[in-house]
Amino acid sequence: MRGVLDRLALFVATVCAGLCVLLSTAVVAWTLTQRPGAVGQMVASGPSVGVARFAAVMVVVAVLSGVAGYALTSRIRAHVEGSSRDLVELATRFAAGEPRLTPVHSDIEEIDLVSGVMTRRAHDMTKSLAAERDFAADASHQLRTPLTALLMRLEEISETDDADVVKEEATIAIAQVERLTRVVDDLLGRTRGAGGPAPAVSLDSVIAALQREWQPAFEQARRSVRVRGERGLFVRSTPVALSQVLSTLLENSLVHGRGTVDVHARRSGPSVIVEVSDQGDGVPAAMAPHIFERSVSSGAGGSTGLGLALARDLAESNGGRLDLVQAQPARFALFLSEAETD
């Protein structure tokens, strides 16, 4: 770039020198025709002296005009060269995958255009990578719960010789596999941008399935889950999302809470509210305002802080809302739209 700008400056200086010489020659020619006496005085000492004087003047004019032209372009050249360096630096940072880029503002249309394209592309790539990381984390969390429940059922089968128990546990394990399949289908639907209104799902059937799924874990911890409230409620949500949200609340209570877990379902106007609470110490006051943020966790039980954030996202994607309505003891409320059934 510097070589091109220097050659351009030399060209401008040459043009300026040539124009000034032509202008000076024109002035001399006008003087010869309009004021021959003045010219006669210049060449009185001899024609060769006059020509030499004229040539010297032309050389001085050419040099001064050339230097002036070169100097006039120096500021422009410095600006273009600096803007080009900034653009090269921006391109290097973009190629290195740096997420935050500041566009170049050079007032040179082409440079600013290229800078804007790279900056926007870097922003889009950052958002895309963040979305992919979130999806991978969400997928692993959604698959972990049904896989854990399935493993527990298989362990029960392996440790008993009672055919009735084996049949019961196998039936529940099959249901877990079916749920796992639905989770995978739901994740694939998210990647394809599947939309449309949420279907109607029986709240009783989802809660009953979760009771069977979590019963061994709560029994092992010498705890229980109590379900109460209105029956026969239908809500607007995909079964996978509803099951995942409630399963997250049950798992959260199992890891962080104590005593009996209370699941209470009731109507409230056009909504259905499902509250999940226990008899533990609850959520620390400092953590309560941030409990639904990703990576916010007490660290107990190997928690990553992803479950509640994902549960809230799933609730909102199905037109609902998940809130912490009481911190001590903890009480979460899932708000969903009631679905009308024939």
Side-chain angles (χ1 to χ4, degrees):
M1 176 63 72
R2 179 187 294 272
V4 174
L5 292 176
D6 288 341
R7 287 194 294 273
L8 179 62
L10 289 173
F11 174 76
V12 171
T14 302
V15 171
C16 289
L19 290 176
C20 289
V21 169
L22 289 176
L23 180 62
S24 300
T25 303
V27 170
V28 170
W30 178 84
T31 304
L32 287 173
T33 56
Q34 301 297 325
R35 301 182 62 185
V39 176
Q41 293 177 359
M42 291 181 60
V43 298
S45 56
S48 60
V49 174
V51 172
R53 289 177 178 176
F54 175 75
V57 170
M58 292 299 101
V59 170
V60 171
V61 169
V63 171
L64 292 178
S65 58
V67 171
Y70 191 87
L72 287 175
T73 62
S74 61
R75 185 173 181 180
I76 298 175
R77 287 186 292 111
H79 176 64
V80 173
E81 188 175 352
S83 299
S84 300
R85 283 197 302 268
D86 292 341
L87 184 61
V88 171
E89 181 182 356
L90 181 68
T92 303
R93 293 167 58 194
F94 174 75
E98 190 169 329
R100 297 182 179 275
L101 298 179
T102 302
V104 176
H105 298 288
S106 64
D107 295 328
I108 301 174
E109 182 179 357
E110 290 77 7
I111 292 179
D112 291 348
L113 179 61
V114 174
S115 166
V117 170
M118 285 193 293
T119 304
R120 289 192 299 272
R121 183 56 181 162
H123 179 69
D124 293 342
M125 289 176 62
T126 301
K127 288 177 61 178
S128 177
L129 290 173
E132 289 180 4
R133 284 193 297 266
D134 289 345
F135 175 78
D138 294 350
S140 63
H141 191 280
Q142 283 189 262
L143 294 173
R144 180 172 59 86
T145 299
L147 285 173
T148 301
L150 179 60
L151 179 61
M152 293 174 62
R153 295 300 176 181
L154 294 176
E155 288 175 348
E156 290 286 336
I157 293 174
S158 67
E159 294 175 358
T160 183
D161 295 329
D162 190 327
D164 292 335
V165 174
V166 170
K167 182 176 180 181
E168 180 183 357
E169 295 296 333
T171 301
I172 297 174
I174 291 172
Q176 291 299 327
V177 173
E178 292 174 347
R179 181 189 167 194
L180 187 60
T181 302
R182 290 195 297 270
V183 169
V184 173
D185 290 340
D186 182 69
L187 290 171
L188 290 174
R190 287 175 57 186
T191 62
R192 294 166 183 163
V201 59
S202 170
L203 186 59
D204 291 346
S205 64
V206 172
I207 293 178
L210 288 175
Q211 274 188 297
R212 293 191 298 270
E213 175 182 328
W214 286 98
Q215 179 183 350
F218 277 93
E219 287 181 350
Q220 186 175 1
R222 299 178 183 274
R223 297 173 60 189
S224 61
V225 178
R226 179 180 65 178
V227 179
R228 62 188 180 91
E230 298 183 48
R231 301 289 181 172
L233 297 176
F234 284 78
V235 295
R236 288 290 176 188
S237 174
T238 63
V240 172
L242 178 58
S243 179
Q244 182 64 34
V245 173
L246 295 178
S247 185
T248 298
L249 297 180
L250 291 174
E251 181 183 17
N252 194 67
S253 180
L254 178 64
V255 174
H256 303 287
R258 289 200 309 268
T260 301
V261 179
D262 186 75
V263 180
H264 182 208
R266 58 185 173 87
R267 284 188 178 92
S268 178
S271 300
V272 171
I273 303 175
V274 184
E275 294 182 330
V276 178
S277 59
D278 59 54
Q279 300 166 344
D281 295 332
V283 181
M287 186 184 296
H290 311 285
I291 194 67
F292 291 105
E293 296 177 9
R294 289 176 179 265
S295 301
V296 173
S297 171
S298 64
S303 174
T304 62
L306 179 63
L308 288 175
L310 174 58
R312 171 171 273 190
D313 289 345
L314 288 173
E316 292 177 351
S317 67
N318 284 267
R321 190 175 81 253
L322 178 62
D323 289 331
L324 176 66
V325 295
Q326 180 177 300
Q328 297 170 347
R331 179 156 57 93
F332 291 89
L334 174 62
F335 298 84
L336 294 167
S337 298
E338 184 176 8
E340 297 182 1
T341 57
D342 297 333

